[in-house]
Structures are given as C-alpha cells and as structure tokens.
Amino acid sequence: MAEVFEWKTERDDETIIRTHAWSPPGCHPVGCGLQLHVKDGKIVKVEGEPSHPITRGALCPRCLALKEFIYHPDRVIYPQKRAREDRGLDKWERITWDEAYDIIETNAKRIIAEYGEEAIMVFGGTGRQANTYYPLMAFMVFGSPNACYAQSGWSCYGPRATITAHLMGGGYPEIDNACRYADRYDHPGWEAPKYILMWGKEPLKSNPDGFWGHSVIDLMRRGTKLICVDPRIHWLASRAEQVVQLRPGTDTALALAMLNHIVENDLYDHDFVDRWCYGFDEFAERVRQYPPSWAASICGVSEEQIIDVATKFATEKHSALGWGLAVDQNPNGVQLAQSLLSLLAITGNLDEPGGCTLGTPIAGDDDPARDMANWGFEAGVLKPEVWEKRLGAKEYPGFSTIMNQCHPDFTLNAMQTGEYKCRMAYFHSSNVVSGAIAAQPDKWYEALKDVDFAVAQETFMNPTAMALADVFLPLTTFAEHNGHVQPHYGLNAAFEAAINKAITVGECKCDIEIMIDLGKRMHPDFWNQFESVEDYLEKRVIPKGMTFDDFRNAGVIQPEEVYRKYEKGMLRPDGQVGFLTRTGRFELYSTAFPLFGEDPLPYYMEPPFSPYNEELDPTIKEEYPLILTTGARTYVSFHSEHRQIESLRDMVPDPLLDIHPTDAAKLGIKDGDWVMIENQFGKCRQRANVTPTILPGVVHAMHAWWYPEKDPNAPSLFGAYESNVNTLLPNGYIGKIGFGDTFKANLCKVTKDERMEV
C-alpha cells in the first residue's frame, strides 16, 4: 500500500502545508516542493520540502521571497473597475466579483452579437495555475479562436515542441537527470551523461519548463562534463570543460558543422540510423556542404574546437543535449532545432540512459484538455466556422497544425493595417505593454489602446493593466489555491503533484475559478457541470479515477522511466514500433516541412540584422556596430515579474547591459555608467556591466524592464519604455514556418548617458 503524503500537519500553534509551486512567483512548471508554515491564517515561514524527490528541499530566491510577494502592500486583492475614458490613469475603484462579472458578461455578449466571437482576443503569458488556461478561456468561455501569445515568432518552447512533433511525432527530449526514479541517481537502470551539450540554456536561473536546473550540478558531481554553447560565460559555463563562445545567431552553422564532422568521419550510430531514421542519404549529402572550416569563419569559433566538441558528443556514450531559447529566438531556429534533434538521433543519444529522455506524444484521451479545439467543438462552445477565422492559421500552417493559437506577428500586422479589429482584449497574466515577452511592445499598445473593452487578471497592477484595462481581476498565488503541476506541460512529465491551498488573501481567485464562473455566465449548459475548482481538476486534469484528495495524498507521482520507447510501440497510438510520423521513423528528411513551403533538410541563414548579412543596408551596419543579444535570466525575476519585491530588487536594482572591457574603453564607458542602447527600431537606458564574460563586439541587455515605483499614469505607465530593450526588437523577422525572431541577434549602438536620473 502506497504511503500517504501528509500534505497538512499541525505542529504547536502552526499548520504546515506541503505543496508544489507554479508561477507566481517564479518559474513554471517546475513544481518545487515547499513547506508553508501558517499561523492565524497567514504564512509565517517558507521552507523547502526535503522529501520532494527532485528539488529535495532547495528553493530559488523567488520562492524564498514568497511572503513578500503575497503580502506586498501594492498587491491588488479585490476586483476593480474604472471608466473607459480613464484608461491610463490610476483611477480604480473597488467592486464586487458579481459586479465585475456582470460588466464582463454584458460587454462580451454585446461584442459577440455585433462582431462575432472572433472579435474577442485572449492574451496569455506565464499563467498563474497552468499555461493552458488562456486558450481555454478563449475557446471554452468566449468561443473565440483567437488566443494570442504576443511574442514575435512564438519564440519560447513552442518552436522546439513543434519541430519535435514534426520530426518524431511529439514528446520532448530532456536531459536525463533520473527524475522519474524515486531512488534518483542510485537507480540501477540509470547512468550519468558523459557530456551535456548545454546549448543556449542557463537552467540554474530559470529551471526552464520543468527541468530542475540544480540537477546539472548533481550530475557534474557524478562525473558529467559540460560543453556550453553561448556568447556569454555564465556560472555553469565557468565550470564547463569547454565554452563554445559563438557569434549570436550563428548557432545553426555550428550545429551543421558538427553534423558534417560526425557523418564524414563515420562517428554516427549505424544501428539507430539504419533501423529508425528516414532520409539519411539526403541528410548526409546536405550536411556535407557545411564543413567545420566554413562554420569557424561564420561563428568565430575555431575549427579545432568544433571538431573536438562534435567528436566527444558522438563518441562518449551516452551524452545529453540541453537546448534553450537560442533555438526558439532565431529566424533560422527551425533548422537549428532540426539539426540538434538530428544530432541526438544519429549519435544514439535519444531515449537512452544518460542521454535525453523522450516524452510520449499526447494523443486522444491521454489529456483531453490539450485537444482544446475539439473539446470546444464537442461542447458546442467553439464553432468550426469561427475556428476557421483564427488569425494566421492559413498563412502559417506549419505553426497552426500543432499550436492551437493565432499567430502573433500576423495578428499584430492585421491590427495595425485594420484587417482585424480587436473589440475585446482579455489579458490573462500577460504584460504585453511592458514587453514581458513581446517585441516592440509600444506597437502592441498602439494597436490595442482603442479596444472597446479590456480585462486584466493579475496579481499586481502592471503597465498593461494600467494602460488598457477597464476591469481588473485579482489572482491568487500558488499558496492560495488548489491545483496541479506537471513538468513540460505533459510533453515529458517526469512527475505530477498537487498544489495545496494554504491561505486566503483578500478576495483573490484562481485562473480555474474565474474560468468556471465566467463560463457559467457565457455557456451555462456546458460549464454548469463543474461545481468547484477541485471538481474541474478531477474531471479534466489529474489522473483519471482519482479524487483531488487522493491526488494530493499521493504526493509526487513518478511514472518510472522506460527507455527506447520506439522499440516497444509506446510512441504510436496503434501500438506499432517506431515514431509517430508519416514514415514511422525519426525524419532526418522531413516529410512534413515541404507541405508548409519549407526545405525538408536543415540549412544556414545569416541573421537578418548582422554585420555579415550582405542584403542588409550598409548604413545600418555602420550606424549600429555592436551585436545585441537579450533575454538571459536572473535569479531574482521572471520576465517582468518581481520588480517591486524589495529583497529581490536589492540583488538586481537596475537593468544591466553586459559589455566587454575593450568595447567599453573605446566608448568611454565605465562599469556602472548609465548608457543609451539604440537602433533603428527604438532606444532604452540601462547600466553598463563591464565584464570579460561576453564576446567583444557583442552586448547583452536585460529584457522586459519596468519600474513599479515610478508614475503609474500614462504616458509613463511605470516607466514602461525607459529601460525596456524590447522596444529595440522588431516583429515580423521570422522563419518560413512562422517561428523565431531576432531576440538573440540584432544590432545596436551604445553611448554613455550623462544623466544620473530620468
């Protein structure tokens, strides 16, 4: 009989709630284990949960600052409204939830009657209970096909997940850190990776998508060596065997050259290639065009290092790949993802102990909440003829066949040209105006400022809510609701665990509760079946047959790892061996890409804004001589969150621009100086961090910066654009399938700003 997880215990005058984290505050969907000590209805202490099999009592600064976040005086804990003419002004008044729902229902039904469901758009961000709820709000509450993640090229995780689906049928490859075993690293069927090729990823700071970053240190203690591919030397890279410090945006050239060396020198796994890969001959012919000598001149990396890294990854069995946002945030990123997945496959490091584990494809009844459109059709809420109006679906079929959302670049362009008019905007934990994820957030602001009606649901007032919302709905943190955590959104779910409510703050509600409440007003015939958040979780989310109490009493549920699933018929719904593709094999030559107007084989493309792009206007290269990269995480913030949390802000009080000492000296810039960063798209102001850890000629700027302490009223909007490098990042420079943009490779100039304050 399984041991009961004591999620709630009484000790002296305290109640201790053992739970698992989801944003806010912090990363998602890691599911870190916490103990929340509650006294007189308030959290008095936050600790790590030592019994958690993955995080084992460790917490990041964001979770340790949970009390500050929850009880911050600026947190909004009651519903609010203001007059439409007062948008941009701090003129909010407290209202009841019923009044807020009345306003939303009245406006939504009026807009649907006049303009159709498609006139409503739900913008999503990190999510406060899971990332799936903003599309569900669009599809299942308002019947709209337009759920929008307003990031150019949908450049976060989606590209990697989509290309994985096209090439092998789904799942997600992740570093094998023994996270499916209760005995972890002592499990006899597990082995430590010989090498981890950490490509554009810094997991200690972000614990991305459910991968517990600190496990990399655990693996290094067990003999794993690191090879870091990054233009910056971060903490992990400083402890790596090698750092491949390449020019930003040239990653695909490096990956192709590694593949060239492996193929040309017969270092690939013949058995896996012969039995399980499709199109090797065509693939080999393509990569022969990209020798290491060619890539060395493009990437700024020596030919010898490229050969050495490729040889070690191919011959040391087994080794793993940790791939990050450098893959997604690149117009050439589809080809980079294709190359890296092919690298895993032909070296025999896919779905192997010590290599990369592979999640199983989500299909059919495995997780019906993920097949959101079909669920909407079956419920009679989302009409097929309305679904056909999803923005960008026809223009980017390679994107839309996997992603149940509208295409962000197409959407912004359609709004700017008047082709599409958004009548109601619903900001579901999405800080579009300050560029939490968006490029040119000022363009989104202009496109949305005249929307007929807008709602924001969030934990704190932010620039987007202040600029655009008519109604503000206050959200719970994970300490204030029941819920569910599953790493990789189910695409490689090492475990499942419950979020357990510990406290109540004000009148805050969670994403699911708001969705149910509004659903019962908009489509009661469907939504009346759900009596509570827990009822919804039981019927739609947690493992079938379990009550929510069963689920949380089970603690952390770990399905044991099964390797080489392609040999066992575990990747296909028909039970046949192989992969869930048209050919039944891992496709080195993609049969899907030509259907979307894309080359079936990987190729290199120089970044649109590059000193080496022959098609770029020479005057732009001359005016903006530095290569700009952005978006590296810090330990103390998650995108635009946490700027008002004092203990976290004290650690990183200002936005920082990393610049090499030789570049700083040429520009007369000293460490700590305020500087202006400019290009043809915009400008912003940050502090110089003069450091030898970045390549000469390259600068790195922190993203999504705003100032909660500054004037909330327009045009300031908490200083949303003063230091926001996202204003320099354009929309529309994307790959053929619709993914990627220039977040990681652009151009700029940097000058000293003599002003002390602005």
Side-chain angles (χ1 to χ4, degrees), residues 481-493:
H481 61 240
N482 290 325
H484 168 262
V485 169
Q486 188 178 45
H488 283 300
Y489 324 99
L491 295 175
N492 194 340

Side-chain angles (χ1 to χ4, degrees), residues 518-661:
L518 285 174
K520 289 183 176 182
R521 285 169 171 260
M522 298 297 297
H523 295 281
D525 289 346
F526 174 78
W527 283 100
N528 280 342
Q529 68 178 293
F530 301 111
E531 298 178 3
S532 64
V533 170
E534 295 74 24
D535 186 41
Y536 178 88
L537 291 168
E538 290 169 2
K539 290 175 178 175
R540 301 297 307 178
V541 180
I542 66 175
K544 290 181 176 64
M546 295 185 81
T547 67
F548 185 74
D549 280 339
D550 292 337
F551 181 55
R552 62 183 174 189
N553 287 332
V556 177
I557 300 174
Q558 292 173 278
E560 187 158 305
E561 188 68 66
V562 178
Y563 298 106
R564 295 177 285 277
K565 288 179 279 296
Y566 50 86
E567 293 183 343
K568 302 174 175 68
M570 297 176 65
L571 299 179
R572 299 176 58 92
D574 59 11
Q576 297 297 307
V577 299
F579 293 86
L580 187 56
T581 60
R582 290 176 177 83
T583 61
R585 299 185 176 212
F586 180 99
E587 297 195 345
L588 298 169
Y589 180 104
S590 172
T591 60
F593 285 179
L595 303 176
F596 313 135
E598 184 56 279
D599 194 316
L601 294 164
Y603 57 86
Y604 177 66
M605 180 176 69
E606 186 67 23
F609 301 101
S610 158
Y612 303 97
N613 189 332
E614 296 179 357
E615 297 180 3
L616 183 63
D617 186 340
T619 60
I620 293 177
K621 300 178 190 179
E622 184 177 352
E623 178 71 12
Y624 307 112
L626 294 170
I627 296 172
L628 171 66
T629 189
T630 69
R633 305 294 190 254
T634 74
Y635 290 104
V636 299
S637 62
F638 188 74
H639 293 306
S640 66
E641 293 180 16
H642 309 103
R643 305 292 186 211
Q644 62 279 91
I645 308 303
E646 186 176 358
S647 67
L648 300 178
R649 183 71 175 275
D650 282 349
M651 288 188 258
V652 185
D654 300 307
L656 298 177
L657 177 82
D658 292 344
I659 184 169
H660 194 274

Side-chain angles (χ1 to χ4, degrees), residues 49-77:
E49 170 52 55
S51 73
H52 191 291
I54 313 300
T55 61
R56 298 180 297 174
L59 292 178
C60 73
R62 298 182 290 272
C63 278
L64 291 172
L66 180 62
K67 282 201 307 176
E68 282 183 82
F69 192 103
I70 289 173
Y71 300 118
H72 195 284
D74 291 345
R75 186 175 169 201
V76 183
I77 59 175

Side-chain angles (χ1 to χ4, degrees), residues 6-17:
E6 294 185 2
W7 68 272
K8 182 178 182 179
T9 58
E10 304 292 337
R11 184 185 301 164
D12 300 327
D13 58 349
E14 291 183 344
T15 301
I16 300 173
I17 305 296

